[in-house]
Amino acid sequence: MSNVPVEATNMLPILKKKLAFLSGGKDRRSGLILTIPLSSDQTSMEELSATLDYLLSIPSQKCKARGFTVIVDGRKSQWNIVKTVVLMLQNVIPAEVSLVCVVKPDEFWDKKVTHFCFWKEKDRLGFEVILVSANKLTRYIEPCQLTDDFGGSLDYDHNDWLNKRLVFEKFTRESTSLLDELSIINDSDKSSAESKEKSADCGLLPSFDPETVLQTGHELLSELQQRRFNDSEGGGGQGGPAWCPMEEELLAQPQVMKLLDSLREQYTRYQEICRQRNKRTQLDEIHAKVMQVVTWLQGPGSELLKTQKAIGDSMRAAQALQQKHEEIESQHSEWFAVYVELNQQISALLGGGEEEEVAELKALQQQLSEVCYQQAAQLEGRQNVLQAAQGFHSTTQELSQQLDGLLGMLCADVAPADGASIQQNLKLLEEKLQAVEAGLASLRQKGALLMEQMCTQPPWPLDEAEESPAGGQQDGSQQVHTVMEEMQLRKQRCEDMVDVRRLKMLQMVQLFKCEEDALQAVEWLGELLDALLKTHVRLGDDSQETRTMTDKHRKFVDVAQSTYDYGRQLLQATVVLCQSLRCTTRSSGDTLPRLNRVWKQFSVSSEERQQRLELALSFHAAAERVLQQECVDPESLDEVDSCGKTLLDRLTLPVVFPDGTEQFFGSPGDTAAAAEAVRERLLLVEERRLQLQEVELHDEDEMLNGQEARLDVIGEELSEKEEQDEEEGEEAGQQQHEDLERATQDC
């Protein structure tokens, strides 16, 4: 027999022929039963020998020591073939065979010859050979250990056994090979770990998938254990010994378990090695990625940011710088995404790593975080500067446009139609100036913010700085100061021009105002003249009323004089303003003649009115004296008549203006009413004249009558005196009589 193990895979076609098989049954000595079912076809002894060699290699040495009981089923074969097979057993398994049971047909073979032949060869064969019928086979073997071919109850499925055998051998082959490979890998990794060097075998991978091999072994072991449990119950039910067709002697169940245990042990070590190797590889990858990120951020990334120091000289330039910065941010975002991923990986590894690995990971994490945060701070600082620069340039652009608009307004000629237009233009000018001042204040604020952002921008490390970090800041600050100074100068020039324009516009407003007020003064004076001629007609009914009207007339004239003087002053101011503005007025040229003409007419009219009032006052005063005095000279009466007639004649005369035109005071009815009052006073004076004449005649008569009456009065006074004396005497006598009576009573 060859010592090289033969696998079922290599002789699968022969095994499928079922030339011999181990059914799992046992004899009474617990020896295995080997069955050789001979068929009617010619049996190949070579194939049978190979089959026997394979089958006998399966049981353990302990099982072989108990011997085999071989059942040669010759019921379908010839005697010479049976004999050949029995003799072949001598060569194949002479020591392991205990008993050979040749199952003979019922009517064939010469019993004597066959029995004699095997008995004759007993010593030479080394085992006992018996001829037995199938129904007599139970004398030597229990029925429960025989298959149904021999009237037994043992179930045996050759194809199932063959499939299980193939699975077992495959598992044994793969697990053994896998154990060797895993052992080599584990030992080599241990050696490389001790020597701190990476071995060439560290990259080896097993030929078989350990998980698949383990799963196959577990399924196989589960199948074996399940069949053993079921068949043990079935065997016990028949009253025979416990029997399992897949027992350890037959299919090496302990071997499967041992292989599984060894394989699990080696696989566990291999998994740990792989875990350590993967962790180391992961650490190396993380370290490489961290260094890649750090290198880019400190190298090209920093160089990109260092070159971006300008703030632009316009809004368009600032927007271009912002777009360039966004491109740089986009490039950094990709590396920041890698940083986030690496940080998550490192955080995940920190929980289950060893102390040395944890320290390494923390160092990498700290280095990566410092570099990323520093670069992010630089990006944020640059972004803040660019945003502030855009705000500054936007405000500068708006302020420049406002200054251009203000300058254009100042450079345009001012030709307003009236004072309201000038006021509107002046208001618009002030609004534009206020907008410029607000824009300049906003520009100063934006400039201060921009310089603050440039000053607070995080500095670069000293070892990375190629030039003074304040150089770019100083250039930017100088640029900001220059722009603000330029805008301040432009604003100052515009303010100076605004002051000049404001003064000119205010003078024009004053000019229009003076012209309007001068025209108003002419209108007022004309209204006063019209009121004087139309309403100032009455002369008063007495001297008191006339005197009052005279005072009112003086005040009226004073108002007109003030109006005329005010108009003259306005026109003089208009002339001065026109000279200052170097322009000719549109209305003052004919306003002065109109003012003088109206004033002359008013002066003539007021003078006439004054003379009439004075004449009326003299008339009423003289008339009142004549009417009030008891004794009036005829000359006074004549003077009153003369003055009244003169006044009546004056009322009928018109006012003659310097240009020759005439105008009467009031209407004819008003003049007639005034004349009627004078005539009534003249009638009273005439009546007074008549009364005086009558009084003179009556006084002469009364003088005579008065002398006579005087004499009568004196006589009456004397009579009354005598009567009074008599009455006084009587009263004295009566009093003495009363005193005498009172004295008598007292006594």
Side-chain angles (χ1 to χ4, degrees):
M1 292 178 59
S2 175
N3 294 327
V4 179
V6 181
E7 295 184 357
T9 307
N10 298 331
M11 50 183 303
L12 185 60
I14 298 175
L15 293 176
K16 284 183 177 181
K17 293 179 180 182
K18 198 180 178 181
L19 299 178
F21 63 88
L22 291 168
S23 64
K26 295 181 181 181
D27 56 17
R28 290 184 173 89
R29 293 172 294 122
S30 298
L32 295 178
I33 298 176
L34 175 62
T35 304
I36 302 175
L38 298 177
S39 62
S40 59
D41 297 334
Q42 184 68 28
T43 301
S44 173
M45 294 297 111
E46 293 181 358
E47 292 181 352
L48 179 58
S49 176
T51 301
L52 293 175
D53 287 341
Y54 175 75
L55 292 176
L56 293 176
S57 66
I58 294 176
S60 63
Q61 294 300 326
K62 181 179 179 181
C63 187
K64 291 179 181 180
R66 292 197 293 265
F68 288 90
T69 295
V70 181
I71 300 175
V72 180
D73 189 1
R75 290 177 294 177
K76 297 180 181 180
S77 183
Q78 300 177 1
W79 166 248
N80 57 349
I81 295 176
V82 173
K83 182 180 178 180
T84 303
V85 171
V86 173
L87 293 176
M88 186 183 62
L89 292 175
Q90 179 187 12
N91 297 325
V92 177
I93 50 174
E96 286 82 0
V97 176
S98 300
L99 176 64
V100 176
C101 295
V102 178
V103 181
K104 63 178 181 175
D106 294 337
E107 299 179 355
F108 292 93
W109 302 346
D110 188 344
K111 183 176 181 180
K112 186 182 294 186
V113 173
T114 56
H115 182 271
F116 174 77
C117 290
F118 284 119
W119 178 81
K120 182 181 178 180
E121 299 292 334
K122 178 179 180 181
D123 294 335
R124 186 172 63 86
L125 291 175
F127 49 80
E128 182 182 1
V129 180
I130 60 173
L131 294 175
V132 64
S133 300
N135 55 359
K136 300 294 180 65
L137 191 59
T138 55
R139 296 178 181 178
Y140 306 97
I141 303 173
E142 297 292 336
C144 64
Q145 302 297 323
L146 294 174
T147 61
D148 57 354
D149 295 336
F150 305 107
S153 61
L154 178 63
D155 291 333
Y156 174 75
D157 186 347
H158 186 71
N159 291 330
D160 181 65
W161 172 85
L162 184 57
N163 291 333
K164 292 297 186 294
R165 189 63 192 177
L166 290 173
V167 173
F168 169 74
E169 290 183 353
K170 179 184 178 183
F171 168 70
T172 304
R173 180 178 65 256
E174 292 180 353
S175 61
T176 304
S177 176
L178 184 59
L179 282 172
D180 294 339
E181 293 177 356
L182 291 178
S183 178
I184 294 173
I185 294 174
N186 294 340
D187 294 341
S188 62
D189 190 84
K190 181 178 180 181
S191 300
S192 62
E194 292 176 354
S195 60
K196 302 296 183 180
E197 295 180 359
K198 189 173 182 181
S199 173
D201 296 333
C202 291
L204 294 178
L205 295 176
S207 302
F208 304 100
D209 182 18
E211 295 287 346
T212 304
V213 176
L214 283 171
Q215 183 179 1
T216 302
H218 285 297
E219 292 176 355
L220 177 60
L221 182 61
S222 177
E223 180 68 21
L224 294 176
Q225 293 174 346
Q226 184 67 25
R227 286 175 58 87
R228 177 178 181 181
F229 174 75
N230 294 336
D231 292 336
S232 296
E233 291 182 351
Q238 295 294 330
W243 170 81
C244 52
M246 300 301 285
E247 200 176 359
E248 61 271 15
E249 291 88 357
L250 183 61
L251 293 179
Q253 179 176 330
Q255 183 179 356
V256 176
M257 296 176 65
K258 183 178 180 180
L259 286 173
L260 285 174
D261 293 340
S262 300
L263 187 58
R264 276 194 293 266
E265 179 183 358
Q266 291 294 335
Y267 183 52
T268 302
R269 291 180 57 194
Y270 174 73
Q271 284 182 318
E272 180 64 23
I273 290 173
C274 290
R275 190 182 66 82
Q276 295 293 337
R277 186 188 304 168
N278 291 336
K279 183 181 292 186
R280 185 70 259 172
T281 303
Q282 191 175 8
L283 287 176
D284 293 340
E285 291 178 355
I286 290 176
H287 185 274
K289 289 182 179 179
V290 168
M291 296 312 299
Q292 186 179 7
V293 174
V294 170
T295 301
W296 191 89
L297 291 178
Q298 291 182 344
S302 298
E303 292 300 326
L304 285 175
L305 283 177
K306 289 178 182 178
T307 56
Q308 300 296 315
K309 296 180 179 180
I311 59 174
D313 55 357
S314 63
M315 186 63 185
R316 181 176 298 177
Q319 291 176 349
L321 291 173
Q322 176 65 34
Q323 183 177 2
K324 179 64 177 176
H325 181 72
E326 290 176 356
E327 295 176 358
I328 296 175
E329 278 188 336
S330 178
Q331 297 179 11
H332 279 76
S333 297
E334 298 176 359
W335 292 100
F336 287 155
V338 177
Y339 157 69
V340 173
E341 182 180 357
L342 288 175
N343 196 29
Q344 293 176 352
Q345 293 178 3
I346 293 174
S347 299
L349 292 175
L350 285 175
E354 297 179 358
E355 183 176 356
E356 182 179 355
E357 296 174 351
V358 170
E360 181 180 358
L361 288 172
K362 287 185 177 180
L364 287 175
Q365 189 178 36
Q366 182 178 1
Q367 181 183 9
L368 182 62
S369 298
E370 289 178 355
V371 174
C372 289
Y373 282 132
Q374 177 185 356
Q375 203 74 359
Q378 292 292 340
L379 286 171
E380 183 180 4
R382 177 61 180 169
Q383 177 65 29
N384 294 336
V385 170
L386 289 177
Q387 289 180 352
Q390 291 184 42
F392 176 76
H393 290 307
S394 175
T395 306
T396 302
Q397 183 176 349
E398 293 177 0
L399 180 59
S400 180
Q401 293 175 355
Q402 292 173 351
L403 288 171
D404 292 340
L406 180 59
L407 184 62
M409 184 177 180
L410 292 172
C411 293
D413 293 334
V414 181
D418 51 19
S421 300
I422 296 178
Q423 291 285 359
Q424 185 176 0
N425 291 336
L426 183 59
K427 181 180 179 181
L428 180 61
L429 185 65
E430 294 293 343
E431 290 177 353
K432 285 185 175 293
L433 182 59
Q434 291 177 0
V436 168
E437 292 176 351
L440 184 59
S442 177
L443 181 65
R444 293 193 185 99
Q445 183 180 2
K446 297 294 179 61
L449 177 61
L450 176 56
M451 289 187 290
E452 180 182 358
Q453 291 293 341
M454 288 190 294
C455 293
T456 57
Q457 192 173 6
W460 291 99
L462 296 178
D463 56 344
E464 295 183 4
E466 297 179 359
E467 59 182 11
S468 174
Q473 299 175 2
Q474 292 178 355
D475 295 339
S477 300
Q478 183 63 34
Q479 180 181 352
V480 172
H481 282 297
T482 301
V483 171
M484 290 194 295
E485 290 176 357
E486 179 183 356
M487 290 299 164
Q488 177 65 34
L489 290 176
R490 290 182 60 185
K491 186 249 184 184
Q492 186 63 44
R493 289 195 295 269
C494 287
E495 279 186 342
D496 296 340
M497 297 178 67
V498 166
D499 293 338
V500 176
R501 176 57 61 88
R502 184 189 295 111
L503 178 60
K504 182 177 181 181
M505 295 180 75
L506 289 176
Q507 288 178 346
M508 294 185 69
V509 170
Q510 189 175 5
L511 173 62
F512 278 105
K513 183 64 176 176
C514 289
E515 291 177 350
E516 293 176 0
D517 292 347
L519 291 175
Q520 186 65 43
V522 173
E523 292 179 0
W524 287 345
L525 198 57
E527 292 175 356
L528 292 174
L529 175 62
D530 189 60
L532 176 63
L533 293 174
K534 290 182 179 180
T535 61
H536 292 205
V537 180
R538 293 182 68 253
L539 299 176
D541 295 335
D542 51 26
S543 61
Q544 182 65 32
E545 184 178 2
T546 302
R547 190 175 292 106
T548 301
M549 295 180 69
T550 302
D551 295 337
K552 290 182 178 180
H553 178 69
R554 290 194 185 96
K555 294 179 180 178
F556 186 77
V557 172
D558 292 340
V559 172
Q561 181 68 45
S562 300
T563 303
Y564 172 72
D565 295 340
Y566 176 65
R568 292 277 298 182
Q569 293 174 0
L570 291 174
L571 291 176
Q572 291 177 359
T574 301
V575 174
V576 174
L577 290 173
C578 287
Q579 293 176 353
S580 176
L581 294 173
R582 298 179 182 179
C583 65
T584 57
T585 180
R586 297 182 296 274
S587 59
S588 61
D590 58 350
T591 303
L592 182 60
R594 288 178 56 194
L595 179 65
N596 291 330
R597 182 174 63 253
V598 174
W599 173 247
K600 288 180 181 179
Q601 292 176 354
F602 183 85
S603 298
V604 172
S605 300
S606 63
E607 182 65 25
E608 178 63 23
R609 173 66 175 171
Q610 179 67 28
Q611 291 177 2
R612 290 185 180 186
L613 287 173
E614 291 177 354
L615 183 60
L617 180 61
S618 300
F619 168 72
H620 286 300
E624 290 174 355
R625 287 195 302 271
V626 170
L627 294 175
Q628 292 176 359
Q629 292 178 359
E630 294 181 359
C631 183
V632 180
D633 295 336
E635 295 178 357
S636 299
L637 294 175
D638 295 338
E639 182 181 356
V640 172
D641 289 338
S642 176
C643 184
K645 292 178 181 179
T646 303
L647 180 59
L648 289 175
D649 294 337
R650 195 67 176 260
L651 290 176
T652 59
L653 297 176
V655 179
V656 181
F657 296 137
D659 57 355
T661 60
E662 296 180 351
Q663 181 70 36
F664 288 94
F665 279 94
S667 63
D670 296 335
T671 304
E676 184 65 24
V678 174
R679 291 190 184 96
E680 290 179 355
R681 182 55 65 92
L682 288 175
L683 290 176
L684 292 176
V685 172
E686 186 64 25
E687 291 178 356
R688 180 62 176 166
R689 184 192 299 273
L690 295 176
Q691 289 178 357
L692 291 176
Q693 292 176 359
E694 292 177 356
V695 167
E696 289 178 357
L697 294 176
H698 182 65
D699 288 343
E700 292 177 358
D701 294 337
E702 285 184 351
M703 185 179 297
L704 295 176
N705 293 330
Q707 291 177 358
E708 294 178 354
R710 181 64 181 168
L711 293 175
D712 293 336
V713 169
I714 294 171
E716 290 178 355
E717 289 179 353
L718 292 174
S719 298
E720 290 178 355
K721 181 66 174 173
E722 291 177 355
E723 291 178 356
Q724 186 177 2
D725 292 338
E726 290 178 357
E727 289 177 356
E728 290 178 355
E730 290 178 356
E731 288 178 356
Q734 185 67 25
Q735 184 67 31
Q736 292 177 358
H737 178 70
E738 289 177 357
D739 292 338
L740 181 60
E741 288 180 355
R742 191 181 296 110
T744 304
Q745 289 176 356
D746 291 337
C747 294

